[in-house]
Amino acid sequence: MTKTTFDLIVVGGGPGGYVAAIRGAQLGMSVALVERAELGGICLNWGCIPTKALLHSATVLRACREAAHYGVTGAGEARPDLAAMVARSRKVAGRLGQGVAHLMKKNGVTVFGASAKLAGAGKLALDSGATLSAPHIVLATGARARELPALPVGERIWAYRQALVPADLPKSLLVVGAGAIGAEFASFYRAVGAEVTLIDMTADILPQEDAEISQLARKAFEKQGIRVLTQCAVKASSATATGVKVVLDQQGKQSELEVERVIVAAGIVGNVENLGLERTRVKVEKTHIVTDGLCRTAEPGVYAIGDVAGAPWLAHKASHEAVLCVEAIAGKPAHPIDPLRIPACTYSYPQVASIGMTEARAREHAKQNGGEIRVGKFTFAGNGKAIAMGEDQGLVKTVFDAKTGELLGAHIIHPEASELITGYGVAASLEATEEDLMHTVFAHPTLSETLHESVLSAFGRALHA
């Protein structure tokens, strides 16, 4: 007979949910994981992982086309095989999904393939008819793409799922939303040959990033042939014989654009429906569950982590919350996560990565507190490894508290930005000052030397600028 009583039940098997289940098992709890679809969640199956597989295919294609520049002949005629790229990305996602299943078995986690809703104190009702019970229930149900009334998803208007498995390459494409997801799809489809228009309602692409970095990203995108329109929205759409006609409104000026396909990447909404929350004290604001610093909701014994619990909507934030939430449940020392110490990465070409405050936010913060900031910048054009790689375009920018030397923010634009940002993440977590960073020895020749030089620049000591 299947066990139905546990110490901990997790609802949702994404990067928050499955990590919570593993950590609970490591701490000696009996754990159940309820997942209605695929282990690994959207991130592993339809988000983070398959998009990175496609983007890496684009990187390989780009390298082949530019091979002659590096003294390699015969690769310049490289062409994309879209079907093979998609098949590889699905294979990568499938392999990792199997890995999560193995981890559940290895850690003794009981997995239920079902939907679940709260059914009273410490109880979950599954749509399979079973009822599970536990004193602690963690909701990790994630989020889904926001729908736009003017752009109903279908054969020609895609959300991320359809965009990840195209049957054919569209000759022309409109990407609505220039955040991380939109920027990544724009980069991929442009690399494989589509004519891409990228629009956003805000004044900049990647609007959550530092303004200077966003402007550099826009220039890089436009140099690749991506048409970028900001302060622009879709007012209406209609099907044509070959695609979709959209009406664009850019600061009150309307125009029409006809494309073969549209990708909607206009944000997300939390999966809070059909969880039985209406019969509890759990509070929901703007489609996200309200929690405290230890992921507790207003309902005793019910917790929420990851995308369903609000911004930032990042897999690594979900995993970190999973660990601190379960450790707090187990009575271990746990500390609320500091949003300013969570790195954000966009895997477009070039990549953009950041942690902490933007320069504008840091200046405002300093002004309100009677302080000052120091800003350092170093371009990859001054870095030997970047020049050797042929990737010498980009910038590292650091922001410090002028008095205390605290690292307030760091921002990078470069094809390897996502790998570099963790250096600043470690520094912020250890509360390293500018002096600590300046005295750190960075290996030569490496891209990471740019991190050092940017810090030196903030205090007038850059060596290679």
Side-chain angles (χ1 to χ4, degrees), residues 370-391:
E372 296 181 359
I373 65 170
R374 298 184 71 104
V375 179
K377 302 177 187 179
F378 190 79
T379 67
F380 284 87
N383 177 262
K385 179 67 177 296
I387 294 171
M389 293 171 60
E391 296 284 9

mmCIF file of all heavy atoms in Angstrom, residues 370-391:
data_model
loop_
_atom_site.group_PDB
_atom_site.id
_atom_site.type_symbol
_atom_site.label_atom_id
_atom_site.label_comp_id
_atom_site.label_asym_id
_atom_site.label_seq_id
_atom_site.Cartn_x
_atom_site.Cartn_y
_atom_site.Cartn_z
ATOM 1 N N GLY A 370 22.650 60.296 2.560
ATOM 2 C CA GLY A 370 23.738 61.243 2.731
ATOM 3 C C GLY A 370 25.109 60.703 2.376
ATOM 4 O O GLY A 370 26.125 61.170 2.917
ATOM 5 N N GLY A 371 25.162 59.733 1.473
ATOM 6 C CA GLY A 371 26.438 59.144 1.093
ATOM 7 C C GLY A 371 26.802 59.419 -0.346
ATOM 8 O O GLY A 371 26.138 60.189 -1.044
ATOM 9 N N GLU A 372 27.850 58.759 -0.794
ATOM 10 C CA GLU A 372 28.300 58.886 -2.173
ATOM 11 C C GLU A 372 28.679 57.508 -2.702
ATOM 12 O O GLU A 372 28.903 56.572 -1.923
ATOM 13 C CB GLU A 372 29.515 59.815 -2.275
ATOM 14 C CG GLU A 372 29.232 61.251 -1.874
ATOM 15 C CD GLU A 372 30.468 62.134 -2.007
ATOM 16 O OE1 GLU A 372 31.538 61.604 -2.392
ATOM 17 O OE2 GLU A 372 30.366 63.341 -1.728
ATOM 18 N N ILE A 373 28.743 57.410 -4.011
ATOM 19 C CA ILE A 373 29.154 56.152 -4.619
ATOM 20 C C ILE A 373 30.374 56.374 -5.507
ATOM 21 O O ILE A 373 30.682 57.505 -5.878
ATOM 22 C CB ILE A 373 28.029 55.503 -5.459
ATOM 23 C CG1 ILE A 373 27.685 56.377 -6.679
ATOM 24 C CG2 ILE A 373 26.809 55.231 -4.615
ATOM 25 C CD1 ILE A 373 26.763 55.700 -7.676
ATOM 26 N N ARG A 374 31.055 55.277 -5.801
ATOM 27 C CA ARG A 374 32.146 55.294 -6.762
ATOM 28 C C ARG A 374 31.841 54.237 -7.818
ATOM 29 O O ARG A 374 31.434 53.116 -7.484
ATOM 30 C CB ARG A 374 33.485 55.014 -6.091
ATOM 31 C CG ARG A 374 33.874 56.057 -5.053
ATOM 32 C CD ARG A 374 35.257 55.792 -4.497
ATOM 33 N NE ARG A 374 36.293 56.076 -5.473
ATOM 34 C CZ ARG A 374 37.077 57.161 -5.454
ATOM 35 N NH1 ARG A 374 36.912 58.063 -4.491
ATOM 36 N NH2 ARG A 374 38.001 57.334 -6.357
ATOM 37 N N VAL A 375 32.031 54.596 -9.082
ATOM 38 C CA VAL A 375 31.713 53.707 -10.196
ATOM 39 C C VAL A 375 32.981 53.383 -10.975
ATOM 40 O O VAL A 375 33.740 54.282 -11.344
ATOM 41 C CB VAL A 375 30.670 54.344 -11.135
ATOM 42 C CG1 VAL A 375 30.369 53.413 -12.313
ATOM 43 C CG2 VAL A 375 29.396 54.665 -10.371
ATOM 44 N N GLY A 376 33.200 52.099 -11.205
ATOM 45 C CA GLY A 376 34.339 51.658 -11.996
ATOM 46 C C GLY A 376 33.881 50.985 -13.272
ATOM 47 O O GLY A 376 32.847 50.317 -13.292
ATOM 48 N N LYS A 377 34.655 51.162 -14.350
ATOM 49 C CA LYS A 377 34.327 50.539 -15.632
ATOM 50 C C LYS A 377 35.598 50.020 -16.282
ATOM 51 O O LYS A 377 36.656 50.658 -16.200
ATOM 52 C CB LYS A 377 33.654 51.540 -16.575
ATOM 53 C CG LYS A 377 32.380 52.167 -16.046
ATOM 54 C CD LYS A 377 31.828 53.192 -17.023
ATOM 55 C CE LYS A 377 30.652 53.953 -16.445
ATOM 56 N NZ LYS A 377 30.119 54.965 -17.392
ATOM 57 N N PHE A 378 35.466 48.871 -16.941
ATOM 58 C CA PHE A 378 36.589 48.349 -17.701
ATOM 59 C C PHE A 378 36.052 47.608 -18.909
ATOM 60 O O PHE A 378 35.175 46.747 -18.780
ATOM 61 C CB PHE A 378 37.449 47.408 -16.851
ATOM 62 C CG PHE A 378 38.747 47.043 -17.519
ATOM 63 C CD1 PHE A 378 39.818 47.929 -17.504
ATOM 64 C CD2 PHE A 378 38.897 45.831 -18.166
ATOM 65 C CE1 PHE A 378 41.023 47.612 -18.121
ATOM 66 C CE2 PHE A 378 40.089 45.498 -18.780
ATOM 67 C CZ PHE A 378 41.152 46.399 -18.774
ATOM 68 N N THR A 379 36.534 47.950 -20.083
ATOM 69 C CA THR A 379 36.073 47.305 -21.304
ATOM 70 C C THR A 379 36.929 46.078 -21.604
ATOM 71 O O THR A 379 38.117 46.031 -21.269
ATOM 72 C CB THR A 379 36.133 48.257 -22.508
ATOM 73 O OG1 THR A 379 37.499 48.550 -22.815
ATOM 74 C CG2 THR A 379 35.399 49.563 -22.202
ATOM 75 N N PHE A 380 36.325 45.111 -22.265
ATOM 76 C CA PHE A 380 37.051 43.887 -22.617
ATOM 77 C C PHE A 380 38.096 44.137 -23.696
ATOM 78 O O PHE A 380 38.952 43.283 -23.935
ATOM 79 C CB PHE A 380 36.063 42.808 -23.052
ATOM 80 C CG PHE A 380 35.333 42.177 -21.893
ATOM 81 C CD1 PHE A 380 34.165 42.739 -21.403
ATOM 82 C CD2 PHE A 380 35.830 41.037 -21.285
ATOM 83 C CE1 PHE A 380 33.498 42.176 -20.331
ATOM 84 C CE2 PHE A 380 35.175 40.459 -20.204
ATOM 85 C CZ PHE A 380 34.007 41.031 -19.726
ATOM 86 N N ALA A 381 38.063 45.319 -24.320
ATOM 87 C CA ALA A 381 39.073 45.667 -25.312
ATOM 88 C C ALA A 381 40.457 45.791 -24.690
ATOM 89 O O ALA A 381 41.467 45.765 -25.404
ATOM 90 C CB ALA A 381 38.698 46.969 -26.015
ATOM 91 N N GLY A 382 40.521 45.908 -23.362
ATOM 92 C CA GLY A 382 41.797 45.997 -22.673
ATOM 93 C C GLY A 382 42.223 44.694 -22.014
ATOM 94 O O GLY A 382 43.174 44.682 -21.222
ATOM 95 N N ASN A 383 41.529 43.600 -22.342
ATOM 96 C CA ASN A 383 41.812 42.316 -21.710
ATOM 97 C C ASN A 383 42.446 41.354 -22.714
ATOM 98 O O ASN A 383 41.876 41.087 -23.769
ATOM 99 C CB ASN A 383 40.510 41.717 -21.154
ATOM 100 C CG ASN A 383 40.693 40.348 -20.540
ATOM 101 O OD1 ASN A 383 40.432 39.343 -21.182
ATOM 102 N ND2 ASN A 383 41.123 40.303 -19.290
ATOM 103 N N GLY A 384 43.616 40.832 -22.381
ATOM 104 C CA GLY A 384 44.357 39.977 -23.301
ATOM 105 C C GLY A 384 43.604 38.725 -23.705
ATOM 106 O O GLY A 384 43.612 38.328 -24.871
ATOM 107 N N LYS A 385 42.950 38.053 -22.748
ATOM 108 C CA LYS A 385 42.224 36.824 -23.063
ATOM 109 C C LYS A 385 41.057 37.117 -24.007
ATOM 110 O O LYS A 385 40.804 36.354 -24.951
ATOM 111 C CB LYS A 385 41.715 36.180 -21.770
ATOM 112 C CG LYS A 385 40.910 34.891 -21.947
ATOM 113 C CD LYS A 385 41.747 33.754 -22.479
ATOM 114 C CE LYS A 385 40.963 32.453 -22.588
ATOM 115 N NZ LYS A 385 40.516 31.944 -21.271
ATOM 116 N N ALA A 386 40.347 38.213 -23.772
ATOM 117 C CA ALA A 386 39.218 38.567 -24.627
ATOM 118 C C ALA A 386 39.678 38.835 -26.053
ATOM 119 O O ALA A 386 39.037 38.409 -27.025
ATOM 120 C CB ALA A 386 38.494 39.786 -24.065
ATOM 121 N N ILE A 387 40.800 39.529 -26.192
ATOM 122 C CA ILE A 387 41.335 39.811 -27.526
ATOM 123 C C ILE A 387 41.747 38.510 -28.208
ATOM 124 O O ILE A 387 41.472 38.290 -29.396
ATOM 125 C CB ILE A 387 42.523 40.784 -27.426
ATOM 126 C CG1 ILE A 387 42.031 42.153 -26.915
ATOM 127 C CG2 ILE A 387 43.214 40.941 -28.777
ATOM 128 C CD1 ILE A 387 43.139 43.116 -26.582
ATOM 129 N N ALA A 388 42.386 37.609 -27.463
ATOM 130 C CA ALA A 388 42.809 36.321 -28.022
ATOM 131 C C ALA A 388 41.609 35.496 -28.468
ATOM 132 O O ALA A 388 41.676 34.770 -29.465
ATOM 133 C CB ALA A 388 43.627 35.546 -26.991
ATOM 134 N N MET A 389 40.503 35.603 -27.755
ATOM 135 C CA MET A 389 39.284 34.866 -28.090
ATOM 136 C C MET A 389 38.518 35.502 -29.245
ATOM 137 O O MET A 389 37.612 34.883 -29.804
ATOM 138 C CB MET A 389 38.356 34.800 -26.870
ATOM 139 C CG MET A 389 38.854 33.975 -25.717
ATOM 140 S SD MET A 389 37.793 34.179 -24.251
ATOM 141 C CE MET A 389 36.206 33.612 -24.874
ATOM 142 N N GLY A 390 38.839 36.745 -29.558
ATOM 143 C CA GLY A 390 38.054 37.469 -30.552
ATOM 144 C C GLY A 390 36.746 37.976 -30.001
ATOM 145 O O GLY A 390 35.819 38.264 -30.754
ATOM 146 N N GLU A 391 36.650 38.092 -28.695
ATOM 147 C CA GLU A 391 35.433 38.578 -28.023
ATOM 148 C C GLU A 391 35.817 39.752 -27.132
ATOM 149 O O GLU A 391 35.715 39.705 -25.905
ATOM 150 C CB GLU A 391 34.792 37.463 -27.188
ATOM 151 C CG GLU A 391 34.286 36.274 -27.994
ATOM 152 C CD GLU A 391 32.978 36.569 -28.721
ATOM 153 O OE1 GLU A 391 32.541 37.737 -28.738
ATOM 154 O OE2 GLU A 391 32.402 35.618 -29.291
#
